[in-house]
Every structure is written in C-alpha cells, then in structure tokens.
Amino acid sequence: MPNKTIYVSDDDLALYARAQELSGGNLSATISTALKRYVEAEEGRREGYDEITVKVGAGPGRKVRFSGVLLGEWGRSTSKTVEVYRVYRTLKGKFAIHVERSPDYVWSGDNAKGSGWRGVLQAYLGPNQTWGSTQGDASLDVVETADELRARIPAELADLIAAVLDQPTIEELDI
C-alpha cells in the first residue's frame, strides 16, 4: 500500500492528536472515513441536496443523518397529539418518510369542560389543574418507489408530492 504524507500545521497538532486518541491509534482509517463523508456530502450539496439530521425513537431518541431534499410536509392534530410528516428524496433516489409524534397530553382542571382553544383557556384559568404526558416519538422509513410512498403517507401529502416528483433537484440555466 502506498504511503502518503500529510503535513500538519502547528495550529492543528492538538486536533490531530485528539483524532488519533479517539480513533484508537488508527488515524489513517479515521482520515479516510472523514474524507469519504466529506466527498459524499459535498457531491450531494453540489447536486442540490442538503445534509438532513432527524431524531428517531421515543423520547430523546437518537439522531440519524442522510443527504436529501425536502419534497413536502404535512401536519395533523387531535385533541391530545400532533403528527408531522416530512418526505425527502434521498441522494440515492429513494424516499425517506420522517414522522414526528408529539407526547400524548392529558389536561384537566375545574373549568376544563370546553373544547379547542376555549377548553385550554378555561383549563388555564381554573385554580385546580392536573396534567400529564407520555414521551413523543419519531420514525424514519425509507421506500424505493412513489407507489410505496403513496401507501405510507396521508393522501393529501401524497397529492402535494406527486406534483413535484418529476422536477429536477437543480435546473442548470445557461443565462
């Protein structure tokens, strides 16, 4: 395997020392991994894609990252929860469906008999109140085709997205 020499400025020596420590001593593999990630992100950015980071799982969950472009967003609510759907086209031509669900809220009080904003206002003004919630959650599903996508999201969002599916991510203008 050929050797490559990397010159490091004095200002960056501490950074390289920390990287080597975190990598368990294999700085070469760490640099290659970082360069691969940089090249993928930069090529995607030049093609019009953004680096997307979303939360998945319950409560604080974990974060996942991919290159994509937002095609559409749709929200709906009940008296207790909110669901938000976001659909992305990924750099590899797939569709990523990110769904966030708010915590399930319960609220009661002396005057919490109304509904909608009136119920919230009455509950807020009442002297004796109780409330509770569960953890919210989020999911990320990836599908290959527009037909699979349509089957997994609300019809209204599918109709919105259908109008933009054939548009290029970036259109080059010779002006």
Side-chain angles (χ1 to χ4, degrees), residues 4 6 10 16 33-34 40 45-46 50 65-66 69 73-75 94 103 121 125 137-138 142 151 163 165 170-172:
K4 299 292 179 191
I6 297 176
D10 288 340
Y16 276 75
T33 299
E40 287 174 355
R45 187 189 66 76
R46 290 180 183 196
D50 296 316
R65 183 176 23 230
F66 60 94
V69 62
E73 183 174 354
W74 184 261
K94 299 177 183 181
L121 184 60
L125 296 174
D137 67 71
V142 179
L165 279 182
I170 291 183
E171 181 179 350
E172 296 289 339

Side-chain angles (χ1 to χ4, degrees), residues 124-167:
Y124 179 76
L125 296 174
N128 298 317
Q129 300 175 29
T130 60
W131 63 90
S133 69
T134 60
Q135 291 290 318
D137 67 71
S139 62
L140 182 72
D141 294 315
V142 179
V143 297
E144 302 276 337
T145 67
D147 289 338
E148 289 177 282
L149 175 64
R150 181 171 279 284
R152 304 283 295 274
I153 61 176
E156 300 89 348
L157 178 56
D159 291 343
L160 290 172
I161 290 172
V164 300
L165 279 182
D166 293 331
Q167 296 178 4

Side-chain angles (χ1 to χ4, degrees), residues 23 27 56 58 89-90 108 112 135 159 166-167:
S23 70
L27 188 55
V56 296
R89 181 181 354 217
T90 71
S108 65
Q135 291 290 318
D159 291 343
D166 293 331
Q167 296 178 4

